[in-house]
Amino acid sequence: MGRKGGAFKLKYMKTKGGEFIIKETNAQDIFIPEQWTEEQLMMKKTCEDFVAQEVLPHLDKIDNQEPGLVPSILEKAGELGILGISVPENLGGLGFDFVTSMLTTEVIGGAHSVAVALSAHTGIGTLPILYYGNEAQKAKYIPKLATGEWKACYCLTEPGSGSDANSGKTSAKLSADGKHYILNGQKMWITNGGFADIFTVFAKIDDDKNLSAFIVEKAFGGISLNPEEHKMGIKGSSTRQVFFNDCKVPVENLLSERENGFKIAVNILNIGRAKLAGAAIGASKQVTTKSVEYANERNQFGRPISKYGAIRYKLAEQAVRIYASESATYRAAQNIEDAIHALIAGGMDEAKAKLKGIEQFAVECAILKVHGSEVLDYVVDEGVQIYGGMGYSAEAPMDRAYRDARINRIFEGTNEINRMLIVDMLLKRAMKGELDLMGPAQKVAAELVGIPEMSEPDETLFAYEKKLISNYKKAILMVAGAAVQKLMTTLSKEQEVIMNIADMAIETYVAESVLLRTEKLVGMRGEEACKEQLAMMRIYINDACDKISVYGKEALNSFGEGDELRMMLMGLKRFTKQDPFNPKAARQVVAEKLIAANKYCF
Ligand SMILES: Cc1cc2nc3c(=O)[nH]c(=O)nc-3n(C[C@H](O)[C@H](O)[C@H](O)COP(=O)(O)OP(=O)(O)OC[C@H]3O[C@@H](n4cnc5c(N)ncnc54)[C@H](O)[C@@H]3O)c2cc1C
């Protein structure tokens, strides 16, 4: 198929987006990060060397925004092919597949502000043209973007229009001679704004209801910039307000069709969300490595602090959450890749297939974004704590890591908006008949009034955890089913309940992904070689159980009443019942391995 990477090119899996709530997945049918090919690992090494040589030694200069430094680092990345990883070879890129691009995004995720500049360029900056541009637009812009000769940014947000992105006021009017659109308006928070040559700008033509998108060259004129924003973190990443004052854009630079801009923005954000999770994993691994190194090095009360249970808990928990987020991210990335392959095999054009494939997994993309960004925030917060006073020092690495992490819960759709999207998209799919949520929800409701089955416990490896995951799915179906029935059309206004249901879905998807990854890995390496992974899986799945119980209870108590509520609460108790489990012993197994390796090692 002419696309590089791909561990499973011959096998088009039938998994559909969002289906995890109602279907079981076989461990053999998921991709796990222990299966990289030589070619993929070589690309990973290129990115690791780039970050180690071109970025990490210069972090202070980057954050001080030394003139020309970040653009020159992007050009270096272009020379190495890093900017063109997802760009087809005929347009000057390397033509790698989605999963490989996720791996390289992960590595670049450790590059602080440069990670943001680079991903804004290759993602929201380049992809609208690559996926929606016509042949002439792609031929003109993509090769120069893939090499870094031109740098790109994406102008959607405005002072009055952030989460409500379609409400932007920037206007586009056709000139009297019909040759240009004249753009006027103000954009805000534009990453790479200070040095970009190419701006993808969203604006409304005349009184249109929906946005249109335009490819705007800085050279067209009529563009001015405010000074750099003073930000909490990612200080080296250029963030500007951009003003369009009678900016003349040739009509041939309308991207896709009139009023198609909002759809472009949403679809490009789906990709950005999945990639953000990849970048968060890379940053989290780096911070965990620093945390372990420091814990091993720092002595208090006559011993390294890594000997203390309170610190070992934190190190283990950092690793557990990263392992979990990584399991979910690459599972979804391969599902997306397979969906793309299947669409291409069915005759669809590659660019369209990529968008469609990713759109099918938009629920999972939102899950990954929320989970990955919150794992990173946990990891950096505990990283600061492990460093103690040095965690608060601007001379030590945690200060920058902590500040840089925080943006991830805000951009690419805030985590609140993404949580709402998870539930909204699932319910819309159910309503369209694409996802049968009602059938399984009714079955769970029937189970609630029936007598609980008493079967002999299955002692085989993973049987208990599989039962737990299946019960988490029942808990979601029960709570979501009841919420839909009880609240009907007002559910969309009951955001607290929606947040609870979204959190139940996030925990279930991630917990299942950890289980499937570990099961597959044990199949490949044997149980003894995977004792830390087994411990991480058990910790995550047990914790998820408690969280699902709390989220479910909150939701049910928010809208349920009387006997029906009491029955559902009892059902929830049944679905979140767990056997005794010793989390301290399991975390000790994980911490021991990290401390011996002196780095994140899973
Ligand atoms: C450093 C940085 C870089 C950025 N880069 C870019 C870029 O390159 N291009 C670009 O176009 N944009 C960019 N953005 C903008 C970013 O995408 C927006 O900040 C983000 O979408 C949130 O919009 P807002 O800031 O207007 O917040 P608001 O939408 O005002 O949200 C404020 C709070 O209200 C919540 N909220 C909003 N609506 C609802 C609702 N309906 N229900 C419940 N809660 C709600 C939000 O979750 C949030 O907690 C960047 C932002 C930053 C800070």
Side-chain angles (χ1 to χ4, degrees), residues 144-426:
K144 288 192 166 135
L145 293 172
T147 58
E149 183 182 338
W150 281 348
K151 285 134 206 110
C153 69
Y154 172 93
C155 303
L156 176 64
T157 307
E158 299 184 8
S161 124
S163 299
D164 183 12
N166 203 28
S167 68
K169 300 230 173 329
T170 299
S171 69
K173 294 214 177 308
L174 200 58
S175 61
D177 61 6
K179 289 190 176 155
H180 292 90
Y181 284 104
I182 311 294
L183 259 53
N184 278 289
Q186 178 186 359
K187 296 289 177 179
M188 194 167 178
W189 303 118
I190 306 307
T191 302
N192 295 349
F195 54 78
D197 309 285
I198 307 299
F199 298 62
T200 297
V201 182
F202 295 86
K204 279 183 187 151
I205 301 174
D206 301 330
D207 295 324
D208 283 354
K209 203 164 142 256
N210 291 306
L211 296 167
S212 299
F214 301 86
I215 308 169
V216 181
E217 297 178 25
K218 180 94 175 274
F220 291 163
I223 297 179
S224 56
L225 306 170
N226 259 12
E228 287 292 338
E229 300 288 347
H230 295 290
K231 306 189 294 290
M232 174 193 293
I234 53 163
K235 287 176 182 287
S237 148
S238 166
T239 315
R240 301 275 196 131
Q241 287 192 41
V242 180
F243 297 84
F244 298 92
N245 310 302
D246 290 333
C247 171
K248 276 175 80 178
V249 182
V251 283
E252 57 270 21
N253 276 31
L254 175 70
L255 189 59
S256 177
E257 284 148 32
R258 182 170 175 166
E259 286 204 270
N260 217 13
F262 188 58
K263 193 171 152 207
I264 297 176
V266 168
N267 281 336
I268 296 300
L269 283 176
N270 282 333
I271 304 172
R273 285 171 188 153
K275 293 282 183 73
L276 184 144
I281 292 165
S284 298
K285 285 183 180 174
Q286 197 178 66
V287 169
T288 302
T289 289
K290 291 264 173 251
S291 305
V292 180
E293 284 170 3
Y294 190 80
N296 275 336
E297 207 169 86
R298 173 73 177 162
N299 285 296
Q300 281 298 281
F301 302 99
R303 311 163 77 200
I305 59 169
S306 62
K307 295 263 187 234
Y308 297 119
I311 298 295
R312 293 164 85 91
Y313 174 100
K314 295 181 196 304
L315 295 173
E317 199 51 32
Q318 286 176 322
V320 169
R321 294 187 195 200
I322 296 169
Y323 179 73
S325 198
E326 191 184 39
S327 308
T329 300
Y330 289 105
R331 170 192 182 188
Q334 185 68 45
N335 285 152
I336 290 170
E337 186 58 39
D338 291 336
I340 295 169
H341 272 291
L343 292 166
I344 295 173
M348 195 181 273
D349 159 79
E350 183 164 333
K352 267 209 191 91
K354 278 191 180 171
L355 282 170
K356 261 265 154 301
I358 290 162
E359 197 186 327
Q360 284 175 10
F361 287 88
V363 171
E364 284 80 356
C365 290
I367 288 177
L368 300 181
K369 192 272 172 177
V370 172
H371 192 265
S373 60
E374 294 182 4
V375 165
L376 176 59
D377 272 356
Y378 174 84
V379 168
V380 292
D381 187 63
E382 291 293 36
V384 170
Q385 200 64 18
I386 291 166
Y387 267 64
M390 286 309 286
Y392 211 69
S393 162
E395 307 294 313
M398 286 305 152
D399 156 70
R400 180 182 280 116
Y402 185 81
R403 288 183 290 96
D404 286 357
R406 190 61 181 83
I407 185 60
N408 291 293
R409 279 160 60 196
I410 298 170
F411 59 18
E412 305 283 358
T414 65
N415 284 14
E416 293 74 32
I417 296 290
N418 271 291
R419 281 186 162 90
M420 284 188 276
L421 280 174
I422 292 167
V423 177
D424 185 56
M425 289 188 289
L426 282 170

Side-chain angles (χ1 to χ4, degrees), residues 495-507:
Q495 291 191 349
E496 297 90 331
V497 173
I498 291 175
M499 298 285 133
N500 288 146
I501 297 171
D503 281 325
M504 293 173 85
I506 293 168
E507 286 305 323

Side-chain angles (χ1 to χ4, degrees), residues 51-119:
V51 174
Q53 289 157 23
E54 307 296 332
V55 181
L56 297 184
H58 312 295
L59 286 177
D60 286 336
K61 284 195 276 180
I62 290 167
D63 273 4
N64 288 332
Q65 295 209 343
E66 190 176 287
L69 182 56
V70 169
S72 75
I73 294 174
L74 291 183
E75 282 157 22
K76 185 78 202 172
E79 280 167 32
L80 295 167
I82 294 172
L83 302 183
I85 285 167
S86 305
V87 172
E89 285 169 293
N90 64 341
L91 289 169
L94 297 180
F96 273 100
D97 60 9
F98 188 70
V99 193
T100 314
S101 75
M102 185 66 92
L103 174 63
T104 56
T105 302
E106 180 192 320
V107 178
I108 304 289
H112 293 273
S113 298
V114 171
V116 177
L118 199 148
S119 68

